[in-house]
Amino acid sequence: MDLAVVAAIHRPQAHPFLAGLRRRLEALEPAFPWGEPVEAAYHGGAPGVDTDFGAFAAQLGIAVERFPYRDDLGRRGGPVRNGEMLVGVRGAERLPGATGVLSFQGGDGTADMVRQARGRGVPVLDIATHAAALEPFQRWTKDDAWLVRSDRRRCLEVQAGRPGVGPPIMSGHWMKVGGEVVLPAWALYVGRDAHGLRGHPRLHNPFPVKPAGGDTGEVIVYGPHGPERCSADRALGFYRQHLTIRCHDDPRLRAELEAIAANRRILVCWCGWQKPCHACIVAEFAVGFLAITAVSAACSAGRA
């Protein structure tokens, strides 16, 4: 998703997913210089995130400038370098000052850059603070059931206004009319055979998760080696591994998942909105594959 954010800032017209992500980012940080073209991308040259960001920006057709750590200043080297990057000073060179700062999850150096930028009045788009708004799914509740069954256009409007960039997830229990589950064409059932619905042949969860009782936050998962009491993250980890293997072996499944996000389907399972649900993993993979396609389109446009 980090690469998709960069692509959405610079080249949102390359793909509908990037255009939608760009609208969400603009709503999150209105003060960011959205109306200005990205003339150059500055980074600190550190191995990993910095250099990866620089390489990706270059693929998008953005000029990249590296501001190395000031080793001559010892522990002050990082903060001094950050300040110089903001004003465009690199040794004897004078470059344009930064008009905005894009920040991802990081350590002390990232936090220092954000502090300095805000202190100088430079707008900051801090992705780490907007994690909930950029989740790859939305958990909808019983109150949304009538909307899901009846009004596709209103569903899309509500989805666009709620935190999360990916598919809404609903419990099938809330979609019952006269005791039977009623699903519109824009919903997709991804559970096992249950309550009169045929299980999804590729996306159902072979590792059921049930409440463990008490207030520990733990659940019971029926994993590959039998029932196990564990955290919700570990319980869903079995399904994540299962879906990873299946996607690796079946490119058609990857395409099917991408289409879920591209067509903005609503995922239906049996979990309430607070219970760990494998549909969240389905949504994560769906958005991830769509983001890869969108980023590739942006890079192709940058090379053109």
Side-chain angles (χ1 to χ4, degrees):
M1 182 60 73
D2 289 354
L3 297 183
V5 168
V6 179
I9 292 172
H10 180 61
R11 207 175 291 279
Q13 71 278 8
H15 193 279
F17 177 76
L18 299 180
L21 180 57
R22 169 67 175 258
R23 289 191 293 271
R24 184 171 292 270
L25 293 171
E26 289 179 357
L28 293 173
E29 293 291 349
F32 203 72
W34 299 109
E36 302 177 20
V38 180
E39 301 290 349
Y42 297 173
H43 69 85
V49 174
D50 282 9
T51 52
D52 290 346
F53 165 76
F56 178 63
Q59 286 185 296
L60 290 174
I62 304 173
V64 178
E65 300 290 349
R66 177 176 176 271
F67 287 73
Y69 190 94
R70 290 287 303 275
D71 292 318
D72 57 312
L73 298 177
R75 296 180 63 181
R76 293 178 53 242
V80 170
R81 183 274 315 279
N82 289 344
E84 293 177 344
M85 196 185 314
L86 284 169
V87 298
V89 172
R90 185 171 56 189
E93 293 181 88
R94 295 298 181 268
L95 303 173
T99 57
V101 170
L102 175 61
S103 170
F104 297 101
Q105 187 70 46
D108 293 342
T110 300
D112 174 75
M113 173 59 86
V114 169
R115 282 193 300 270
Q116 289 200 48
R118 288 177 172 155
R120 293 176 179 271
V122 178
V124 177
L125 176 58
D126 188 354
I127 298 303
T129 66
H130 298 303
L134 300 176
E135 284 274 19
F137 56 82
Q138 300 177 348
R139 299 297 295 267
W140 283 19
T141 69
K142 184 177 182 179
D143 293 337
D144 298 308
W146 67 271
L147 177 66
V148 172
R149 287 196 303 266
S150 61
D151 193 334
R152 173 58 168 164
R153 187 170 73 172
R154 182 59 183 151
C155 280
L156 295 175
E157 292 172 351
V158 170
Q159 183 180 355
R162 289 184 178 176
V165 300
I169 297 170
M170 287 284 296
S171 171
H173 293 295
W174 304 331
M175 300 297 292
K176 291 182 178 179
V177 177
E180 294 187 3
V181 180
V182 177
L183 298 183
W186 49 89
L188 177 67
Y189 178 60
V190 295
R192 297 182 297 277
D193 290 351
H195 300 276
L197 293 183
R198 182 77 176 269
H200 195 288
R202 292 168 298 281
L203 297 176
H204 73 277
N205 185 5
F207 309 112
V209 179
K210 300 185 180 299
D215 56 1
T216 64
E218 292 185 322
V219 296
I220 303 294
V221 60
Y222 293 81
H225 307 294
E228 174 185 340
R229 187 183 183 108
C230 62
S231 68
D233 286 344
R234 176 167 171 76
L236 291 179
F238 291 116
Y239 180 73
R240 183 189 301 278
Q241 183 179 26
H242 164 79
L243 191 57
T244 298
I245 294 171
R246 295 209 63 180
C247 287
H248 181 270
D249 294 338
D250 187 357
R252 293 174 299 177
L253 179 56
R254 297 197 295 270
E256 181 178 357
L257 284 162
E258 180 177 335
I260 288 173
N263 297 327
R264 302 173 74 179
R265 302 291 295 275
I266 295 172
L267 301 180
V268 177
C269 194
W270 298 108
C271 306
W273 71 275
Q274 291 181 312
K275 180 183 173 183
C277 181
H278 85 287
C280 295
I281 309 300
V282 173
E284 177 186 317
F285 276 62
V287 170
F289 288 128
L290 182 60
I292 290 171
T293 296
V295 166
S296 296
C299 289
S300 295
R303 292 190 294 267

